[in-house]
Amino acid sequence: MKPKIVIGNWKMNKNFDEAEDLISEIEEKLADYNFETEIVLCPPLVYAELVTDHANEEGSQFYAGVQNVSEYENGAYTGEVSAEMLAGMDVSFCIVGHSERRKYFGETNEIVLKKMLRLLANDIVPVMCCGESLDERKSGKHFEIVQKQLEESVYKLTPEQMERVIIAYEPIWAIGTGETATPAQAQEMLAFIRSLIEKKFGTEMAVNTYILYGGSCNAKNALELFSQQDVDGGLIGGASLKADDFFKIIEAGETVIKEN
Ligand code: PEP
């Protein structure tokens, strides 16, 4: 079993002092351990330099990530930040296609693909989110929806590009709601996603691709979710804002690895 990946998505939370404090608290908790689990912190973009400074310190146990990037290369796009700029700041991971960006900022599968290509060209790992709404699940369309999201994004990548992508399945009905997918529901969808990758890119790619679960994953349910065969870790929103909870989720990843 490969090591787990735990990614914290802070969303638009924390003022500067709070962001500094949270990073320091996480560092303190990690200091006594040498975890195999890969840890990524994705604070708001404006704190990118803060998190990369810490991630670059000797012995740091986490990587720096952000939550968004421009689909454009460079130029007259007021307010945007390019992948090249992120790379210049040593950002290693970037979330794309989060359901909140799809809902509030019109991020389509086509835009998600453009953003992934910009990130990959700059050696930043895209964390590509997919997932269905409650209505889509209730009407039994969840597999179809997720398949379409993949077909219109990662399916268009070359195998060399696909090798560097992380997929996060986040059912919209579970994000920030406190309602988690059951471990069986998470496993079922992640196994389906893996089967799609296998069909398109082959068995080796399917085995190696990291597929994460996200949606109200917390200190209490992480162990059971991470114990599912196809769950390679988690994309964590609310619970990544408290160092204690985030640390327990990382510990859950570590426990599963040690037991297997
Ligand atoms: C997220 O926003 O990526 C997420 C999983 O949020 P939460 O854990 O709060 O449901």
Side-chain angles (χ1 to χ4, degrees), residues 60-220:
S60 169
Q61 296 193 58
F62 57 78
Y63 295 93
V66 291
Q67 305 164 22
N68 190 27
V69 65
S70 176
E71 71 204 79
Y72 302 109
E73 190 170 353
N74 273 306
Y77 300 103
T78 302
E80 290 289 273
V81 173
S82 72
E84 188 187 10
M85 293 170 192
L86 296 176
M89 295 176 83
D90 285 341
V91 167
S92 311
F93 292 77
C94 179
I95 299 169
V96 289
H98 191 284
S99 60
E100 287 153 15
R101 293 216 57 86
R102 291 178 190 262
K103 180 175 173 191
Y104 301 122
F105 304 98
E107 202 160 300
T108 59
N109 292 332
E110 194 189 346
I111 294 173
V112 170
L113 174 62
K114 284 186 185 163
K115 290 186 175 192
M116 282 199 294
L117 291 171
R118 298 262 34 94
L119 292 168
L120 290 163
N122 287 280
D123 287 329
I124 298 173
V125 175
V127 181
M128 205 289 286
C129 303
C130 57
E132 80 287 353
S133 67
L134 188 56
D135 281 352
E136 287 160 349
R137 177 156 283 259
K138 279 188 179 158
S139 57
K141 288 193 179 142
H142 42 300
F143 293 116
E144 196 185 307
I145 293 295
V146 169
Q147 180 162 353
K148 188 167 188 290
Q149 289 170 337
L150 296 189
E151 280 172 356
E152 293 181 0
S153 57
V154 292
Y155 268 41
K156 314 250 182 211
L157 300 176
T158 65
E160 291 71 30
Q161 291 168 330
M162 183 61 200
E163 261 172 22
R164 295 180 282 144
V165 171
I166 293 175
I167 294 177
Y169 167 63
E170 299 207 307
I172 299 168
W173 46 272
I175 297 180
T177 58
E179 188 174 340
T180 321
T182 63
Q185 284 172 324
Q187 168 56 27
E188 184 185 37
M189 183 58 89
L190 267 61
F192 174 68
I193 293 172
R194 211 176 289 287
S195 75
L196 293 176
I197 298 172
E198 180 165 26
K199 264 187 225 146
K200 173 72 186 164
F201 293 101
T203 306
E204 201 183 334
M205 185 80 79
V207 171
N208 292 338
T209 298
Y210 269 87
I211 312 178
L212 314 182
Y213 169 78
S216 298
C217 180
N218 58 40
K220 288 198 178 117

Side-chain angles (χ1 to χ4, degrees), residues 14 30-31 64 102 180 206 249:
K14 304 286 178 191
L30 293 172
R102 291 178 190 262
T180 321
I249 295 169

